[in-house]
Amino acid sequence: MTIIGAAALPVGKWQSAADAAVQVLEHEVLARLVVRAVTEAGVDKSDIQGMTFAQPRPYTAQKYFATFMADYLRLPCSGNVSEVLGNGMTGGFAFEQAANDILLGRSKVSLALGINFETAIPAREHMMSSMRAVGDVDFQAPFGITPIAWYAMDATRYMHEYGSSRDELAAVAVKNRRHAALNPLAQFRTSITLDDVLAQPMIVEPLGLYEVPPRSDGAVCLVLAEEDVAKSLRRPYVKVRSRGFHHEGAHQISEVPNDMIALEAAQAAGRQAFARAGIAPGDLDLAEIYAPCTIVEVLAAEALGLTPRGEGARFAAEGRTSLGGDIPICTSGGLTSRGHPAYVTPLYSFVEVFDQLRGTAGQRQVHGAELALTSAELGNYNAALVHILEGVH
């Protein structure tokens, strides 16, 4: 199974206020991306037999979005037209379903696509919805435990356990902004220093403003195809070598004692993906990790074997996870700087890897990139979805 085309909206603030005289409509934005992606892929509209959408945010005016889009695009499909939802893994699940249509022989070409608009919604409304989704409504949500609060607890534990420092964690944000400055799709492209990061107001101690994700709008369309189709196009493409998935059967912070900074689901999913691809973490040329905060990038990198346990923050501070380092991580700028339109964030990871493995990433290109990893998560990495991809020229 392969990726042969991609198009994405630069991450930023695109959503219209409810009382705005001119409205930016999600279906119009996404339709333009579909045209771009399919044109780039070099396939005919009639070749597309499946579309799996990341379910849009509840704020989206148009409901039953997938079938509306099938009509708007005048695109009949015999494979699948559906929406999927899985919080931060939503875009990853859209990719999985589109891939499954191809692997099951239902479609030769399928689209994995979605749009996430949320920036014009009042912060209070957005947070109340988020807490009900990501926390236990009988315990966590009433006390205001937000995702950033879990990650802050992770950071505190990590620094205690391994003697790491706030400076080392903050270095992840500096590195990601340096990468984002080279990415035309990134929400924040102005360079920052370590002092800039440390000077920001605390969101939840020890994580400051630049160490947590912004609210973001974004949209992506990926074109997936059977490898025979990709080969017939006679142009570079990206092949999916393997995938791994694991859900630990817990919702966010579990009442069952565990190692809160081990990210066991990521470890299990990573082991599956590496075994099925027949490679080891050291064989990768880059990784695009779903990491809402600096500490999450550190913990996920360690769980996936990209850095040694307890040394992920130090690797970032030493430049070993930067472009030109041992294992470049989040060359797109990551969630803290590229931006985090949550329901489509995993699709942006595939866009970055698609560019890197075809050698079209411009100034942020990893020289000679052949193998890459993407990840997506549910909650505090209670579940992880990992893909290993390979460039074919």
Side-chain angles (χ1 to χ4, degrees), residues 40 48 63 69 100 150 167 209 228 291 293 313 321 352 358 361 387 389:
E40 176 188 308
I48 302 165
K63 303 302 179 184
M69 286 297 297
N100 285 343
W150 319 323
D167 286 19
L209 181 64
D228 286 349
C293 302
T321 58
E352 178 66 15
R358 293 188 310 150
H387 286 90
L389 303 103

Side-chain angles (χ1 to χ4, degrees), residues 154-329:
D154 291 342
T156 300
R157 183 67 193 180
Y158 183 83
M159 289 191 291
H160 168 77
E161 193 100 352
Y162 294 111
S164 187
S165 67
R166 172 97 195 284
D167 286 19
E168 287 181 338
L169 290 179
V172 175
V174 178
K175 179 267 297 181
N176 282 343
R177 185 63 66 89
R178 188 163 58 247
H179 291 173
L182 306 175
N183 185 2
L185 294 178
Q187 185 169 2
F188 298 112
R189 301 183 62 193
T190 303
S191 296
I192 55 175
T193 66
L194 185 62
D195 287 342
D196 292 332
V197 178
L198 298 175
Q200 298 309 303
M202 283 290 171
I203 302 302
V204 183
E205 192 172 356
L207 300 175
L209 181 64
Y210 289 172
E211 297 161 279
V212 303
R215 287 176 63 190
S216 311
D217 299 328
V220 177
C221 178
L222 297 173
V223 184
L224 282 59
E226 286 184 344
E227 190 161 15
D228 286 349
V229 172
K231 288 178 178 178
S232 72
L233 299 171
R234 299 185 183 280
R235 62 180 71 180
Y237 61 90
V238 170
K239 179 179 181 178
V240 180
R241 281 254 310 238
S242 69
R243 60 88 79 175
F245 175 84
H246 185 76
H247 194 299
E248 63 183 6
H251 188 63
Q252 320 308 348
I253 298 174
S254 173
E255 73 280 7
V256 178
N258 69 349
D259 184 340
M260 65 186 292
I261 57 174
L263 304 193
E264 293 174 0
Q267 290 185 37
R271 284 194 299 268
Q272 290 177 26
F274 286 119
R276 290 167 180 166
I279 66 169
D283 296 318
L284 294 172
D285 297 300
L286 69 145
E288 195 68 20
I289 295 176
Y290 188 106
C293 302
T294 51
I295 181 60
V296 185
E297 181 175 315
V298 168
L299 297 180
E302 293 180 9
L304 294 166
L306 307 179
T307 64
R309 185 84 190 270
E311 297 186 37
R314 181 173 62 82
F315 267 50
E318 293 175 352
R320 298 172 71 176
T321 58
S322 298
L323 283 165
D326 299 3
I327 173 66
I329 294 177

Side-chain angles (χ1 to χ4, degrees), residues 33-106:
L33 293 178
V34 171
V35 172
R36 277 176 46 200
V38 172
T39 300
E40 176 188 308
V43 295
D44 189 77
K45 178 179 177 179
S46 62
D47 296 326
I48 302 165
Q49 288 301 310
M51 293 191 292
T52 305
F53 293 78
Q55 183 173 304
R57 285 291 196 180
Y59 325 121
T60 303
Q62 180 64 57
K63 303 302 179 184
Y64 209 8
F65 193 78
T67 191
F68 175 85
M69 286 297 297
D71 172 74
Y72 189 74
L73 294 165
R74 295 292 188 264
L75 189 52
C77 294
S78 299
N80 163 64
V81 174
S82 64
E83 300 171 35
V84 296
L85 177 64
N87 270 13
M89 207 178 282
T90 299
F93 285 155
F95 185 88
E96 287 275 278
Q97 179 61 53
N100 285 343
D101 271 355
I102 294 169
L103 295 172
L104 292 170
R106 296 170 179 163

Side-chain angles (χ1 to χ4, degrees), residues 86-160:
N87 270 13
M89 207 178 282
T90 299
F93 285 155
F95 185 88
E96 287 275 278
Q97 179 61 53
N100 285 343
D101 271 355
I102 294 169
L103 295 172
L104 292 170
R106 296 170 179 163
S107 176
K108 289 184 177 294
V109 179
S110 288
L111 305 182
L113 67 170
I115 189 162
N116 180 110
F117 274 13
E118 62 180 53
T119 59
I121 301 302
R124 180 182 180 279
E125 179 182 344
H126 182 71
M127 183 52 69
M128 290 301 292
S129 175
S130 294
M131 285 195 296
R132 290 172 57 208
V134 300
D136 179 338
V137 295
D138 292 326
F139 170 59
Q140 292 157 346
F143 296 99
I145 300 177
T146 66
I148 305 304
W150 319 323
Y151 300 138
M153 287 190 280
D154 291 342
T156 300
R157 183 67 193 180
Y158 183 83
M159 289 191 291
H160 168 77

